[in-house]
Amino acid sequence: MKPIDEAGQPSSTDKNKEPQQLGEVLEFMRLLWAVDHGLQSTSKRMEATLGLTGPQRLVLRLVGRFPGITAGRLAQILHVHPSTLTGVLKRMEKRGLLERKSDPLDGRKALFALTESGRAMDVPATGTVEAAVQRALARLPRARLSAAQEVLATLAEELGSGDAPLDNPTGRASHGNNDEAPPATADGEGSTSAKSATR
């Protein structure tokens, strides 16, 4: 039985053993879930205080950086399918934060820019995901940041490959069942993690 402290939590000695017991992969996954939970919680607070979820604010900041950007280019930057962005772009247009114009070179494409209201929100703000990321990055030396970015980029590539072989300990044929419930997004909607950038 694990030792329990007075608060009913595992003792500090036990906590120190947990990473060793979990192993490298499970410990990394545990930290990823902690980050995911933090993103979702912060996004909900942002919606209550700023009126924008974390993913919506990311879209706003990107459009502010690249006025006249297409939905397709936004999707590439965010690593999501263009159709995934449709809802968030429409909601932000409806709120008067984004404006849509037809591409003069290709009428089938829409170009997005910030409205005056959108530009007023395109400034650094406390209580946002980006503020937390900025504080975290400021605490780490450049070499460690580069290594962390490499790990995250590799992981994103693996998770996004879609056709990575799965170990099948049962020996049964895999039929690619996609009926599994997806995790909640940063704004509470159920979808894939990639879709969390789209509310």
Side-chain angles (χ1 to χ4, degrees):
M1 179 178 275
K2 293 181 179 179
I4 302 294
D5 66 15
E6 293 175 2
Q9 299 296 321
S11 70
S12 58
T13 304
D14 189 56
K15 286 180 183 177
N16 292 336
K17 291 180 182 176
E18 284 178 0
Q20 296 170 356
Q21 292 173 343
L22 290 175
E24 198 171 60
V25 173
L26 292 181
E27 173 60 12
F28 199 89
M29 288 176 65
R30 182 185 73 82
L31 293 172
L32 285 177
W33 286 120
V35 170
D36 181 62
H37 176 72
L39 286 170
Q40 293 184 43
S41 299
T42 303
S43 183
K44 287 176 183 175
R45 285 196 301 271
M46 287 171 59
E47 186 169 25
T49 57
L50 300 176
L52 286 175
T53 64
Q56 288 171 347
R57 182 164 168 84
L58 179 56
V59 168
L60 182 125
R61 298 306 305 267
L62 288 172
V63 174
R65 285 280 178 99
F66 306 108
I69 193 169
T70 64
R73 182 63 186 128
L74 263 176
Q76 285 179 338
I77 293 171
L78 293 170
H79 299 280
V80 297
H81 191 274
S83 64
T84 306
L85 278 177
T86 302
V88 70
L89 293 173
K90 284 184 177 177
R91 280 187 287 276
M92 293 179 73
E93 274 187 273
K94 190 175 181 180
R95 288 198 50 206
L97 300 173
L98 294 182
E99 61 183 359
R100 174 195 305 250
K101 294 181 180 177
S102 294
D103 186 340
L105 300 177
D106 184 349
R108 297 168 300 174
K109 291 183 181 178
L111 306 179
F112 291 90
L114 298 180
T115 62
E116 187 175 339
S117 296
R119 285 191 295 275
M121 297 187 78
D122 186 24
V123 293
T126 58
T128 62
V129 171
E130 71 213 59
V133 170
Q134 186 174 28
R135 289 193 304 272
L137 297 185
R139 291 162 51 186
L140 297 173
R142 177 61 52 192
R144 289 179 68 186
L145 288 180
S146 297
Q149 287 177 327
E150 185 177 350
V151 170
L152 291 173
T154 302
L155 182 59
E157 183 181 334
E158 284 294 328
L159 291 172
S161 65
D163 58 355
L166 297 176
D167 291 335
N168 192 352
T170 64
R172 295 179 185 158
S174 173
H175 299 291
N177 185 354
N178 292 326
D179 295 334
E180 184 177 323
T185 63
D187 63 340
E189 269 189 6
S191 78
T192 63
S193 293
K195 281 189 176 181
S196 69
T198 61
R199 169 94 174 158

